[in-house]
Every structure is written in C-alpha cells, then in structure tokens.
Amino acid sequence: MKMKLLYTYLNSDLTLIEKELEESIQADSHLLRQASLHLLKAGGKRIRPVFVLLGAKFGDYDINVIKDVAVSLELIHMASLVHDDVIDDAELRRGQATIKAKWDNRIAMYTGDYIFARALELMTEIRNPAAHQILSDTIVELSVGEIEQIKDKYNFDQNLRNYLLRIKRKTALLIAASCQLGAVAAGVPEEDHRKLYKFGYYVGMSFQITDDVLDFTGTEKELGKPAGGDLLQGNITLPVLYAMQDEYINKRVRTVREGMERAELNEILKLVQESGAIEKSLEISDRYLDKALAILEELPPNKAKKSLRDIAKFIGKRKY
Amino acid sequence: MIHLLDIQNKLDGTRELLLEKLSHPYLMEHVESPFIDDDRLLLLTSLLEQQEGNQERATSYTLTTMLLQIALDTHEHVHNSLPGEGDESHKQRQLTVLAGIYYSGLYYKLLADLEDVDMIKRLATGVKEVNEHKISLYQKDSGAIDQLMESLKLIESSLLGKVADHYQAAEWYEFASNWLFVKRLLSEETLFMNTGHSLLFNALKKIALPKMDQKAAELSSEQQKYLLSICTRYIEFSMTKIKTASKKLSGMNSLLMERLDLITGQYQSMSKKFAEEG
C-alpha cells in the first residue's frame, strides 16, 4: 500500500501545494528556476506538508492560510537537501543528478540559499510570532545537528545518547515543527499543539531509525544509492552501535574509512545485518511509534487523527 | 554631529555581541573566522543611530543584518571539490556550508524572538535578490555593462537597502550602496590586477570584448587597460554620488567621514598606480 492512500481526502489540497511549490520558486534567473525545478521535479514524499495539513485539521482549517506553512516547510527541507548534497559531495539524489553534480557547488549554494530565503519570506504570511519562534529554533537546532554529525563522523566511540540527539536534530525536529506549525497557524490551543509537536517528534525519531536500518537492508534500486552509504561516510547509526557491542564486529567496523574498497565494506555490512542489530534497532523504532500513538490518543477525535495514526504505523513498516 | 567616541563605543559593543553570536566552538576550530566588514557595520550602525529611536532594536537590526551578510559571505567560500583533495579540506568545506546555514538561522531566531515578522520578510527578500544576482554574475548572464554593474551593486547592498527601506531612508541607501559598490569594485580591480581574473572582470570581458575567445587565458595589456578603464568610470561616478548623498545626510558622523576619506585615498592611489603603469 502507498502512504498516499492514508489521506486521500487531502489530495486536492496537496495538489494545490505542489502547484504553489512550483510557483514559489519562479525566480527571475533562468538558471535558478531550472535548478530549483530540477529539484522539485525529482519528487519526494512531501511528508512535511502532509503533517502541516493534518496538524491544522485540529483547528480552523483554511487551506489558503495553511498552504504557506506547508510550502515553506517543504522549501526548507529542499534547501537543506541542496546544501547536504554539497556537504556529502553527492552525485545522485532519488536517482537523479544533484544540483551540485549537474551544475557545481557554487550554483548549489546560491540555489539553496535562495530557496531557504523564499521559504522564510513565504512563512512571514503567518503573522503569529509564536510560529516564527518555533520554526527559527528548529532551524538553528537543525544546523547544530548537522555540525554535530560532522563532528561525530568516524567517531566509533560515540554512544546511544549522541545518536539519538543527532537524529532528533537532523529529522525529528522538522517533522515535529511541521505538525505543530500547522496547528499553530490554524489556531489550535497550546496544550494540543504541543501534543502534536510531541507526536511529530516521536514519529520523526522512528522514521529516522527506520531510514538508518534501510541503509543496511534496502536494495540499491529501493534506496536510489548503494546500501551502506551511511557507514561508508562515517555516520554511525543505531544498527552499527548495536552491532559494535560484539567485540569482533567492533574491531571490523573501526576499519571503515572514506573510499574503502566496496568488497571490504560489504563484508562489514553483512556482519551488521546478521548481528541482530537490525531487529534491536527496529524495536527502538517501534517504541517511539508507541509513544507517538499514545500521545495521539490524548487529542480530540477527527479524521486527521486517524490519518496520523495510520501514517505512524505505515512509517514503522515501510520498506523504502 | 555625533561624537566619534560615542559611535566608536557603539561599534565596539555591537562587534562584541556579533562575535559572541558567531562563536561556535567546533566551527571556530575548523573553519576560517567569519569576516566582519567594519565599513558595513559602521554604515548600519550610523543609519540606525539616526533612524531608530529604540537602542535595543537598533542593535538587533545591526546584528541580524550583519549575521545574514556573514552567512552569505561564508557561502562564497564554498568551492568545488578537487580530485584527490584531502580529508581536512573536505571537512572544511562541509563545515563552511554549515556555518553559513547556522549564521542565517541565527538571523531568523533573533528577529523571531523580537517578534519582528516584517523585518524577517524584508531581509529574506534581500537574500533572494542577492542570490539571484550572484548567479547572474557567476554565470556571466548580463547582456550590458550597466546591468552587470547593477547586479554587483545589489549583491553588496540589498540587505542594507532593506533596512533603509524600512525607515524610508532613500538618501542613506544612495550613500551606503555606492560606498559598498566602490569598495567591491576596488577589490575586484585589485584581484584582477594580481591574478588576471575576478568574477566581475570575467563577466565584463564577455560583454566588453565579445569577439575575444572567452577561454583565452591572457588579455593583452591594451585589453586589460580597457576593462580597468570601464571599472574606473563606474568608481568615479559612484564617488560623485557618495559625495552628493553625504551632503544631504543629517546623520553623518566623524567616523564615517574618516572612513570615506580613506576610501577616497585608496581610489586615488589605485588611479595613480594605473597611470604609472601606463
């Protein structure tokens, strides 16, 4: 089943958001338009806009107001992808050439900065200062998280706490903010929009752990890139941390370095896959999902609540 | 006229606050210290000193605009990867990208905490403009010299222009934008004379010498002189504009006049150098 089927009643609003996304990046510069569109057309799950819309469903839902938040958050995510591709020196994203590969790093930086500014400009359509405080805190934390990620690269002595804090900043906070900001823009009472934030946070944590597991279990076709890329880049994720509890695997993992031979890497990937670490990681992911579902129960019943529940469950079971 | 010591104290105080905001232990360890353009800081401080009655707000606007400018300038240092480059230079590039993102996040946070949605919007629009013109300059898109020079001017002055717009201080914008433009032109000239290349001169070459093979590494001395003379004309014209605008400004302070004299001196010594070198 496709995730989209869990919220078909949002289809017309999501189509509008897709159109708004395209319009929002109509820069004067031809190349800037081309680069931004290239990224937009590469697709994506649009999970953040979905969470914004669903969060707003707990208040006075007006798509003409909410769309600015939804588009803005997707643009922030897109800008971060453009910058991340420069950071990772990535040639491909979702099976397509990255902006930095198709043009160069300079163009990618200008495009990323442009898209980010466009996102904030659009977000200012929301006049409520609380929305900006939430989003600005999130953005600062996101960048701190990425700096921490670089700091922790090839650091085989990091612990579970490091990892959880990193994925919180890297992924969970933006999903949490998406759920909360949709609600804030729709005038949902503070008590409830805080619950939506927590829901998003737990789902985001679960989502990232699943993503980190998929890097070991997914095929190249499913992932759009070769498996084990995270480890090769020195990103020590939950499956690796669990697998490293075994002394032999610990020693082997510590030999991972930039540009190592694929065959040697594959041996280590296999050791991680067969160590039981995948199952343990998925258990943690499930625990976050349970927390998400529990907090959801405290929110008033509506159609969106059901969709959020279904999405949370779907994320836990996704294969790619 | 505002006393030199007062404005100097304000500048020092803002500079210190700025350094505090910019200090991130890991970034400080691995990337070049962010460059604080003292002239830009002086222009912003002087503009806000005259236009904004609330001192706290004036300092916040100066800080946030400087943070954003530094964020954009930091991203100018992200170069293309080179085959066989070392781990440290790769890491430095990665952290340079992140430093720029972090600084621009701080701009947003500072204004969000001030609940100043209008200024968030103005400055975001400024960043958009700057990046549009940066792409145009980098891609050598301009079809005319005036258009190219306008792009360069906007790259340097869009953010400050948005603050000036907020106070409807058109005369300040005229003064400051030409100042920043002249500074950039002088630095492009220096770079071109020292290395034979610069973003501006590469784009200028395409427009002013259209028949020339654009990939040719060397320009003849006549061609170099011709390009430099175009640049000099724009500097002279902008210097005149600065002088005219400065007479209309009521908020001129002695530090601004001192700095202006220095830039005039720099320009004159550059002109002399051209003349001597023939």
Side-chain angles (χ1 to χ4, degrees), chain A residues 27-29 31-32 83 86-89 100 104-107 109-111 113-114 116-118 120-121 123-127 129 132-133 135-137 139-140 143-144 146-147 150-151 153 258, chain B residues 24 26-27 72 75-76 78-81 85 87 90-91 93-95 97-98 101-102 104-109 112-113 115 117-118 120-121 124-125 127-128 131-132 134-135 138-139 141 199:
Chain A
D28 290 340
S29 153
L31 192 139
L32 197 47
H83 287 144
V86 175
I87 292 170
D88 299 337
D89 219 358
K100 72 132 255 158
D104 62 21
N105 278 351
R106 272 290 176 93
I107 297 292
M109 294 315 298
Y110 295 151
T111 307
D113 286 351
Y114 174 88
F116 179 70
R118 182 70 189 106
L120 295 195
E121 189 183 47
M123 188 65 194
T124 56
E125 294 301 314
I126 306 297
R127 307 301 295 176
H132 295 283
Q133 282 154 6
L135 186 57
S136 64
D137 280 343
I139 287 169
V140 172
S143 61
V144 171
E146 291 232 42
I147 294 167
I150 306 266
K151 193 176 162 187
K153 270 194 178 184
E258 216 164 350
Chain B
H24 181 292
Y26 194 68
L27 290 178
L72 294 174
H75 280 175
E76 284 297 300
V78 178
H79 303 294
N80 292 321
S81 46
E85 75 177 352
D87 288 354
H90 183 210
K91 186 173 183 171
R93 187 176 55 248
Q94 293 177 315
L95 288 170
V97 175
L98 292 171
I101 299 170
Y102 175 65
S104 64
L106 292 180
Y107 123 80
Y108 184 31
K109 181 161 168 49
D113 288 344
E115 304 194 350
V117 180
D118 278 335
I120 295 171
K121 182 172 191 157
T125 307
V127 174
K128 260 177 44 190
N131 283 292
E132 288 233 29
K134 277 185 174 179
I135 286 206
Y138 185 61
Q139 289 293 105
D141 276 348
L199 275 177

Side-chain angles (χ1 to χ4, degrees), chain A residues 163-303:
Chain A
Y163 168 79
L164 293 176
L165 184 61
R166 205 171 60 231
I167 65 166
K168 172 186 170 184
R169 284 166 163 160
K170 182 182 167 185
T171 307
L173 284 182
L174 196 54
I175 293 181
S178 302
C179 295
Q180 188 178 24
L181 286 172
V184 169
V188 171
E190 191 174 340
E191 195 190 343
D192 285 348
H193 72 60
R194 282 181 182 275
K195 284 176 185 161
L196 280 159
Y197 172 87
K198 280 190 178 170
F199 168 81
Y201 163 70
Y202 293 136
V203 168
M205 294 296 281
S206 172
F207 180 87
Q208 188 56 52
I209 294 171
T210 309
D211 221 47
D212 292 343
V213 166
L214 289 172
D215 193 54
F216 286 92
T217 58
T219 62
E220 184 165 350
K221 196 182 167 200
E222 287 166 346
L223 299 170
K225 56 186 179 184
D230 285 339
L231 183 58
L232 185 61
Q233 285 185 349
N235 292 327
I236 312 302
T237 57
L238 192 56
V240 181
L241 285 174
Y242 275 132
M244 283 178 79
Q245 288 172 354
D246 177 280
E247 211 176 314
Y248 174 70
I249 301 177
N250 191 308
K251 271 188 195 159
R252 292 294 307 266
V253 167
R254 283 172 190 273
T255 64
V256 172
R257 66 214 171 269
E258 216 164 350
M260 80 187 290
E261 286 295 322
R262 192 76 216 179
E264 197 184 344
L265 177 74
N266 284 344
E267 280 177 26
I268 298 170
L269 294 182
K270 198 160 178 262
L271 285 171
V272 174
Q273 284 159 358
E274 291 171 355
S275 68
I278 301 297
E279 294 73 15
K280 280 188 195 167
S281 303
L282 289 174
E283 265 173 42
I284 299 286
S285 170
D286 283 347
R287 260 197 253 169
Y288 277 110
L289 269 189
D290 290 343
K291 284 187 176 190
L293 296 173
I295 197 105
L296 200 57
E297 284 316 304
E298 295 175 25
L299 285 162
N302 62 21
K303 220 172 171 181

Side-chain angles (χ1 to χ4, degrees), chain B residues 29-97:
Chain B
E29 208 180 304
H30 292 276
V31 292
E32 247 174 71
S33 300
F35 170 69
I36 300 176
D37 180 348
D38 285 326
D39 280 350
R40 199 178 292 272
L41 183 60
L42 173 62
L43 285 166
L44 273 164
T45 307
S46 305
L47 158 70
L48 287 154
E49 169 76 32
Q50 202 215 358
Q51 304 286 333
E52 176 59 62
N54 180 333
Q55 191 48 51
E56 203 183 331
R57 189 165 290 271
T59 307
S60 297
Y61 280 1
T62 309
L63 278 178
T64 198
T65 313
M66 287 301 290
L67 280 170
L68 209 38
Q69 186 67 48
I70 290 168
L72 294 174
D73 293 346
T74 300
H75 280 175
E76 284 297 300
H77 297 289
V78 178
H79 303 294
N80 292 321
S81 46
L82 298 166
E85 75 177 352
D87 288 354
E88 195 46 43
S89 101
H90 183 210
K91 186 173 183 171
Q92 198 175 24
R93 187 176 55 248
Q94 293 177 315
L95 288 170
T96 306
V97 175

Side-chain angles (χ1 to χ4, degrees), chain B residues 62-218:
Chain B
T62 309
L63 278 178
T64 198
T65 313
M66 287 301 290
L67 280 170
L68 209 38
Q69 186 67 48
I70 290 168
L72 294 174
D73 293 346
T74 300
H75 280 175
E76 284 297 300
H77 297 289
V78 178
H79 303 294
N80 292 321
S81 46
L82 298 166
E85 75 177 352
D87 288 354
E88 195 46 43
S89 101
H90 183 210
K91 186 173 183 171
Q92 198 175 24
R93 187 176 55 248
Q94 293 177 315
L95 288 170
T96 306
V97 175
L98 292 171
I101 299 170
Y102 175 65
Y103 304 148
S104 64
L106 292 180
Y107 123 80
Y108 184 31
K109 181 161 168 49
L110 210 150
L111 288 175
D113 288 344
L114 268 183
E115 304 194 350
D116 199 332
V117 180
D118 278 335
M119 191 52 85
I120 295 171
K121 182 172 191 157
R122 279 181 193 280
L123 290 175
T125 307
V127 174
K128 260 177 44 190
E129 276 174 21
V130 168
N131 283 292
E132 288 233 29
H133 289 286
K134 277 185 174 179
I135 286 206
S136 167
L137 175 66
Y138 185 61
Q139 289 293 105
K140 299 179 248 177
D141 276 348
S142 302
I145 296 173
D146 268 350
Q147 196 189 347
L148 169 67
M149 293 297 184
E150 193 54 29
S151 272
L152 195 71
K153 193 170 177 179
L154 284 167
I155 289 169
E156 291 303 314
S157 63
S158 259
L159 295 186
L160 196 143
K162 298 300 168 193
V163 181
D165 277 356
H166 179 69
Y167 296 102
Q168 295 172 320
E171 72 286 358
W172 263 103
Y173 179 64
E174 176 76 0
F175 176 70
S177 60
N178 280 296
W179 175 317
L180 295 169
F181 180 47
V182 166
K183 267 192 75 176
R184 174 70 186 258
L185 288 174
L186 287 170
S187 109
E188 292 281 334
E189 271 190 350
T190 310
L191 188 64
F192 176 65
M193 286 172 74
N194 291 340
T195 66
H197 290 283
S198 91
L199 275 177
L200 174 72
F201 279 86
N202 291 348
L204 192 56
K205 189 168 78 175
K206 189 178 167 196
I207 306 168
L209 303 168
K211 289 183 185 155
M212 192 195 159
D213 174 10
Q214 296 300 317
K215 282 181 186 152
E218 290 289 320

